Amino acid sequence: MEVSYDTRITTLENGIETRMSKYRPEGRRKYNVLRGIAKGEDVSALRNFFILRQGALNSFKFKDWMDYATTQTGTVFGDGSVQVSAFDGSLSLLFGRTYQMVKVYSDSARTITRVLTKVKPNSEEVAVHGNILTPSEYTINNETGEVTIVTTAFDPIGAGSVTAGCEFYVPVRFAESTDQAFSVAMQATDNTQSLPGFELIEDVSPLAVSQDYQFGGSQHLTGLT
C-alpha cells in the first residue's frame, strides 16, 4: 500500500522551499494486488473481475488489511484484543441529526480526519453521550457513511456527543496500466513470478473546487524544521 500526496516542492537558491500538495490531507492510496496470485486460475479469476468492471471505468470496494477499522491501530484483531468501539471518535455533523462516519489520525502535533464512505455492513457501533444505541435508534447508509440519529431519548445532542466506530472499505479502480498487465499475464500464467503488478488506485469523491486548488495548502519552509 502506498499513500500519495503529490507534493510539489520549489527550492530557492537560499534554501527556502515552497511545498504544495495537490491531494487531500489524507492523501490518495494505491495498491499492488499481485501478492497472493500464485496460480493461473487466480489470474483468470482476476481477469474476469477486471472485465466485469470494464477495466478502469467502474470502481469497487477493496479491503485494506493495513487500515480497515476506526480503532487507533487501524485493524481489528481476531483474538479480541482490540475491538471496534463506539468511542473511537466523534462523528462529523453534516446537518440536523445526520452525521458522517470518519476516522481520525492524530499525534501530539497534528490531526487529520478521513471521511469514510464505504462502511462494512453491521460492523458499526454508534453512541450518544456514551450510551451505545440499538439499530432501531439510528439509520446508516453504508454506501455514503452517513448516520442519522432517530431516537430522541438522549436529547439534547451537543457537539462531540455522538461517537461511532466501524470497519470500512476503500473505493478503488484499476489503474490504466492494468490493460498491459493482463496482456503479459495471458502469456505467462504458468510463471506468476514474472507477472507485472496489478495496481489499484483510490477513487476519490468529486469536489466543487478548481483542479488548481492546493488541498494540502502551501508552506514556506527553510528546511531546518
Side-chain angles (χ1 to χ4, degrees):
M1 190 270 283
E2 165 192 340
V3 181
S4 176
Y5 292 92
D6 193 16
T7 301
R8 314 292 173 85
I9 301 176
T10 302
T11 304
L12 303 181
E13 291 185 358
N14 60 1
I16 294 178
E17 294 181 345
T18 297
R19 305 176 191 172
M20 295 181 293
S21 175
K22 292 291 292 182
Y23 289 165
R24 0 171 242 182
E26 62 268 33
R28 188 177 194 182
R29 287 153 178 79
K30 299 179 181 179
Y31 305 91
N32 189 313
V33 294
L34 181 58
R35 179 175 297 180
I37 299 177
K39 300 178 296 184
E41 292 86 343
D42 298 331
V43 177
S44 295
L46 184 58
R47 178 198 60 195
N48 292 340
F49 185 84
F50 176 78
I51 291 172
L52 291 170
R53 297 304 167 288
Q54 295 177 273
L57 181 62
N58 295 294
S59 58
F60 53 94
K61 299 174 186 175
F62 178 77
K63 187 168 186 176
D64 179 354
W65 286 97
M66 297 291 292
D67 188 2
Y68 65 90
T70 53
T71 55
Q72 290 296 320
T73 61
T75 58
V76 179
F77 297 102
D79 60 6
S81 59
V82 179
Q83 294 292 332
V84 171
S85 167
F87 306 97
D88 286 335
S90 299
L91 296 180
S92 176
L93 178 62
L94 293 177
F95 51 86
R97 301 169 70 86
T98 299
Y99 296 78
Q100 177 68 55
M101 276 281 191
V102 297
K103 177 169 182 176
V104 178
Y105 302 85
S106 65
D107 58 19
S108 58
R110 290 179 62 88
T111 297
I112 290 178
T113 301
R114 177 184 179 187
V115 174
L116 306 178
T117 58
K118 304 300 178 185
V119 176
K120 180 181 178 181
N122 304 315
S123 71
E124 79 283 348
E125 284 188 351
V126 181
V128 178
H129 303 308
N131 299 284
I132 297 179
L133 304 183
T134 64
S136 63
E137 293 178 309
Y138 67 91
T139 62
I140 180 170
N141 186 330
N142 293 311
E143 295 302 312
T144 64
E146 295 181 3
V147 176
T148 301
I149 308 302
V150 177
T151 180
T152 58
F154 304 104
D155 285 353
I157 299 177
S161 60
V162 182
T163 53
C166 70
E167 293 183 35
F168 57 89
Y169 300 107
V170 182
V172 298
R173 64 167 174 81
F174 284 106
E176 296 89 331
S177 60
T178 311
D179 286 330
Q180 181 180 1
F182 276 116
S183 176
V184 174
M186 292 305 100
Q187 303 173 35
T189 53
D190 293 331
N191 182 13
T192 56
Q193 296 298 321
S194 66
L195 295 178
F198 296 97
E199 293 187 342
L200 306 179
I201 300 177
E202 184 176 5
D203 190 9
V204 297
S205 300
L207 298 173
V209 295
S210 167
Q211 66 176 357
D212 296 323
Y213 181 77
Q214 306 299 328
F215 288 95
S218 174
Q219 298 185 58
H220 294 276
L221 303 169
T222 64
L224 300 177
T225 56

